[in-house]
């Protein structure tokens, strides 16, 4: 079995291209076993801690089900369930948990927190999401793309919306690592960090990846294999940013016309949750304030045959399982 024994997963920049592919291959193997009812409790008697400073549906369920499938026990710590960063420093928390658990997942705020957990715990640490990076999501995305197209090399992925944070960053890094064609289609002020762009260009020079940064949708999307988007306001940001984001990003909403410009080969992806209708409290609130019935993607696209968002969501569990199995 492919192994990254005792290795951390804090960001995809930490992995070599062959290690990313190895995790995807292992995820596909474990997914096939689960689909065929073949037990794979290869981590029996292991215990993991799941630290969630930001709540989640997919990430929590993916880690818990994956842990149970592998034969592990897990402890879930929500924002009220630990003293991390409040009464106890990150370093002290890490050293305590590292004595009790075989691995630690962290989902929360700054990247420096998950880096400190890894530095002091002495056990594998997995980034379930920080403001800067979301590596487990991108592994799931790439497994889904490979299942659909049979390859990753040369795939053109266009990210539309706000590319400054974890998803834009992580997709750009992943595409650079694996020789893909990444396009950030956003307003100029919503592009990824220039320093990270420079790093990714250096990687792309070695892998043959193509990185582009485009404001014009008509120039960005033709020939895309994947149109990808995310919510415009992240968890923890103040409500006051909605008005500016809607004003700036509404032209970058994924619509049926955008998909037509891309071509019939194009699929739609989203890390979820998505504001594609009025069936959420936030969606209703935005409609009342701004008069729009969807945000980053229309319901027509989200519910279309081109949408593979639920394949993508399922693959969170299979790729997370691979990460834990490989590192433990």
């Amino acid at each position: 079995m492919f192994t990254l024994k005792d290795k951390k997963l804090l960001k995809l920049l930490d992995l070599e291209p062959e290690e990313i592919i190895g995790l995807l291959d292992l995820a596909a193997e474990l997914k096939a076993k689960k689909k065929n009812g073949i037990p794979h409790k290869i981590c029996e008697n292991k215990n993991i801690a799941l630290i969630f400073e930001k709540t989640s549906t997919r990430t929590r369920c993916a880690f818990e089900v994956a842990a149970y499938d592998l034969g592990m026990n897990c402890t879930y710590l929500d924002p009220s369930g630990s003293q991390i960063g409040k009464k106890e420093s990150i370093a002290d928390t890490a050293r305590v948990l590292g004595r009790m658990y075989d691995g630690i997942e962290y989902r929360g705020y700054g990247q420096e927190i998950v880096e400190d957990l890894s530095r002091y715990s002495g056990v594998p640490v997995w980034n379930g999401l920080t403001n800067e990076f979301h590596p487990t999501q991108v592994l799931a995305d790439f497994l889904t793309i490979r299942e659909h197209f049979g390859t990753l090399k040369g795939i053109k992925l266009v990210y539309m919306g706000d590319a400054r944070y974890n998803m834009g960053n992580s997709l750009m890094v992943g595409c650079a690592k694996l020789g893909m064609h990444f396009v950030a289609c956003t307003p100029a002020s919503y592009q990824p960090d220039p320093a990270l762009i420079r790093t990714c260009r250096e990687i792309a020079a070695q892998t043959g990846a193509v990185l582009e940064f485009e404001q014009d949708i008509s120039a960005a999307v033709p020939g895309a294999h994947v149109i990808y988007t995310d919510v415009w306001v992240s968890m923890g940001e103040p409500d006051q940013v909605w008005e500016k984001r809607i004003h700036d990003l509404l032209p970058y909403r994924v619509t049926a016309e955008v998909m037509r410009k891309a071509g019939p080969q194009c699929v739609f992806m989203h890390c979820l949750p998505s504001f594609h209708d009025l069936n959420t409290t936030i969606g209703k609130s935005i409609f009342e304030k701004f008069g729009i019935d969807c945000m980053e993607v229309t319901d027509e696209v989200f519910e279309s045959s081109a949408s593979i968002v639920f394949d993508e969501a399922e693959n969170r569990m299979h790729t997370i399982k691979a990460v834990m199995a490989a590192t433990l």
Side-chain angles (χ1 to χ4, degrees):
M1 187 187 83
F2 173 78
T3 181
L4 293 171
K5 179 69 172 150
D6 297 328
K7 192 155 186 175
K8 59 195 175 185
L9 179 61
L10 309 183
K11 54 188 182 299
L12 291 182
L13 284 169
D14 297 334
L15 298 181
E16 297 299 324
E18 57 270 22
E19 293 175 324
I20 297 173
I21 294 299
L23 287 173
L24 297 180
D25 291 343
L26 178 57
E29 176 187 335
L30 295 174
K31 181 176 181 177
K33 287 182 176 179
K34 185 172 179 70
K35 296 292 185 185
N36 289 290
I38 301 172
H40 42 283
K41 295 185 180 297
I42 54 180
C43 295
E44 284 189 302
N45 300 318
K46 300 285 189 181
N47 297 284
I48 62 170
L50 307 178
I51 302 173
F52 278 69
E53 291 196 292
K54 287 185 178 181
T55 56
S56 170
T57 300
R58 276 152 300 282
T59 303
R60 177 181 177 178
C61 292
F63 268 99
E64 289 194 353
V65 173
Y68 298 145
D69 282 355
L70 292 171
M72 296 193 289
N73 303 304
C74 61
T75 301
Y76 174 74
L77 298 170
D78 67 14
S80 65
S82 77
Q83 300 296 339
I84 184 169
K86 297 189 284 287
K87 291 184 178 179
E88 187 167 48
S89 70
I90 305 301
D92 289 357
T93 300
R95 286 179 285 190
V96 170
L97 295 180
R99 300 290 185 98
M100 299 181 182
Y101 292 94
D102 300 288
I104 301 168
E105 179 271 351
Y106 173 81
R107 177 184 173 92
Y109 296 95
Q111 181 72 13
E112 69 279 0
I113 299 175
V114 76
E115 299 277 352
D116 279 349
L117 282 170
S118 179
R119 183 175 300 113
Y120 292 105
S121 68
V123 298
V125 172
W126 314 295
N127 181 354
L129 174 142
T130 61
N131 294 337
E132 294 85 355
F133 295 107
H134 200 356
T136 60
Q137 177 65 54
V138 174
L139 290 173
D141 298 337
F142 284 0
L143 179 62
T144 309
I145 292 168
R146 195 174 72 170
E147 288 174 342
H148 193 84
F149 292 102
T151 187
L152 289 170
K153 192 78 172 177
I155 289 292
K156 180 178 179 180
L157 185 152
V158 179
Y159 183 87
M160 296 182 63
D162 188 347
R164 297 173 296 174
Y165 300 118
N166 47 44
M167 284 313 305
N169 289 343
S170 295
L171 286 166
M172 178 173 66
V173 170
C175 287
K177 288 274 186 178
L178 297 186
M180 298 168 66
H181 183 172
F182 174 81
V183 184
C185 182
T186 73
S189 59
Y190 288 81
Q191 298 285 359
D193 177 67
L196 184 61
I197 291 174
R198 288 193 294 272
T199 298
C200 288
R201 288 198 189 281
E202 293 171 2
I203 296 168
Q206 302 299 316
T207 64
V210 176
L211 305 180
E212 295 182 318
F213 305 90
E214 180 61 67
Q215 297 179 54
D216 182 355
I217 295 171
S218 295
V221 303
H225 299 90
V226 179
I227 299 290
Y228 199 116
T229 194
D230 190 9
V231 294
W232 292 340
V233 176
S234 298
M235 188 183 304
E237 291 190 278
D239 289 346
Q240 294 90 321
V241 304
W242 275 111
E243 184 172 5
K244 178 172 173 52
R245 297 285 171 81
I246 290 170
H247 174 270
D248 293 347
L249 297 176
L250 197 58
Y252 295 88
R253 173 191 283 166
V254 181
T255 64
E257 177 60 24
V258 169
M259 297 298 290
R260 280 193 290 271
K261 286 180 179 179
Q265 77 291 335
C266 188
V267 298
F268 171 73
M269 298 182 72
H270 192 305
C271 53
L272 302 182
S274 169
F275 297 121
H276 59 95
D277 56 24
L278 300 180
N279 295 329
T280 62
T281 301
I282 292 176
K284 290 175 183 176
S285 173
I286 294 299
F287 177 73
E288 291 168 0
K289 291 179 181 177
F290 302 104
I292 56 174
D293 61 4
C294 60
M295 281 178 270
E296 71 278 1
V297 59
T298 64
D299 194 55
E300 180 182 10
V301 170
F302 188 90
E303 297 292 353
S304 72
S305 59
S307 175
I308 56 173
V309 297
F310 295 109
D311 294 337
E312 183 185 0
E314 178 193 339
N315 280 337
R316 291 296 310 283
M317 189 266 290
H318 302 300
T319 47
I320 283 170
K321 187 186 296 183
V323 167
M324 293 195 296
T327 54
L328 293 177

